[in-house]
Amino acid sequence: SKTMPQNTTEGNRTGTTPTPGPRMVPPNAQLIEAFNWFNVAVVTAIMLAMGCTLKLRELIRVLKQPSQIDRRFLVGVAIGFFCQFILLPLVGFGLAHALQYSSMTAMGALVVSCCPGGTTSNILTYWNRGDVALSVTMTTVSTVLALGMMPLNLWLYSRSWTHEVAVVPYKEIVVALAMILIPVTVGMLVKFWA
């Protein structure tokens, strides 16, 4: 009988020849940095455009007389909060257990389900002629509340897979909040002066 030559390279002690796989390209720091700046520019432009759809006078009127806020608006924000920080993490937790994810995959799914919403909802709301003011408000509220709700949800649900403390990216959340509020405010001012 023929014997296969032993391959003694590290990581392959089975005696078989390794199969060629995809070649891993080392990350290019400049490309990653350029991609990050591109994302910042795109999100800023989107939120600036969303701000141009809002009316500064209405915002000032509501801030001066909060009793004028439509109850349906407040109900919409409350529903958004419930879905974003109670229902979605619970669904992520349940799916991770139902599908028997590994600890690493389950924690990834949990982190994604605990993150605040992004600007995509604002674009979809605008395209579908929805209430952009409500969408921007919900995005802003969920980003602010994520400072407290994200650690709470991660602490509550991650104990099934790990006893380590999850690290919450506070700096990134504050940057995301600034990337929402500053361009929207500038957009409203552009519309006001135009």
Side-chain angles (χ1 to χ4, degrees), residues 11 67-68 94 118 125 167 185:
S67 62
Q68 298 245 338
T125 302
V167 176
T185 304

Side-chain angles (χ1 to χ4, degrees), residues 1-193:
S1 78
K2 291 184 179 179
T3 59
M4 296 188 76
Q6 290 292 322
N7 185 345
T8 58
T9 59
E10 188 66 36
N12 186 7
R13 301 200 184 275
T14 60
T16 61
T17 307
T19 57
R23 193 172 135 241
M24 295 299 292
V25 178
N28 182 335
Q30 290 88 8
L31 186 61
I32 292 171
E33 185 73 17
F35 182 74
N36 288 340
W37 281 108
F38 176 75
N39 280 341
V40 167
V42 168
V43 169
T44 302
I46 290 169
M47 294 312 296
L48 182 71
M50 293 299 109
C52 288
T53 66
L54 303 175
K55 296 177 182 167
L56 185 61
R57 289 183 186 161
E58 286 184 22
L59 177 65
I60 292 170
R61 181 181 52 81
V62 166
L63 291 176
K64 285 183 178 177
Q65 298 175 338
S67 62
Q68 298 245 338
I69 298 175
D70 188 1
R71 291 202 188 278
R72 293 175 295 177
F73 189 86
L74 297 176
V75 168
V77 172
I79 290 171
F81 170 81
F82 174 79
C83 291
Q84 182 70 49
F85 293 114
I86 296 171
L87 187 61
L88 190 58
L90 185 61
V91 168
F93 175 77
L95 282 174
H97 274 291
L99 299 174
Q100 299 177 351
Y101 285 163
S102 67
S103 294
M104 189 94 101
T105 305
M107 286 300 295
L110 187 59
V111 167
V112 168
S113 68
C114 290
C115 285
T119 58
T120 308
S121 63
N122 302 328
I123 298 168
L124 295 175
T125 302
Y126 176 74
W127 285 344
N128 289 298
R129 295 182 177 86
D131 190 346
V132 175
L134 176 62
S135 181
V136 170
T137 301
M138 290 172 67
T139 302
T140 304
V141 167
S142 71
T143 303
V144 170
L145 293 177
L147 293 169
M149 292 303 296
M150 191 173 174
L152 176 66
N153 280 325
L154 289 174
W155 173 79
L156 185 64
Y157 294 116
S158 68
R159 294 183 294 170
S160 292
W161 298 285
T162 183
H163 293 290
E164 294 180 23
V165 177
V167 176
V168 178
Y170 289 110
K171 182 180 124 192
E172 287 80 5
I173 292 173
V174 170
V175 168
L177 182 63
M179 286 177 57
I180 293 168
L181 293 179
I182 294 170
V184 166
T185 304
V186 170
M188 289 190 316
L189 291 172
V190 166
K191 183 174 182 173
F192 179 74
W193 288 323

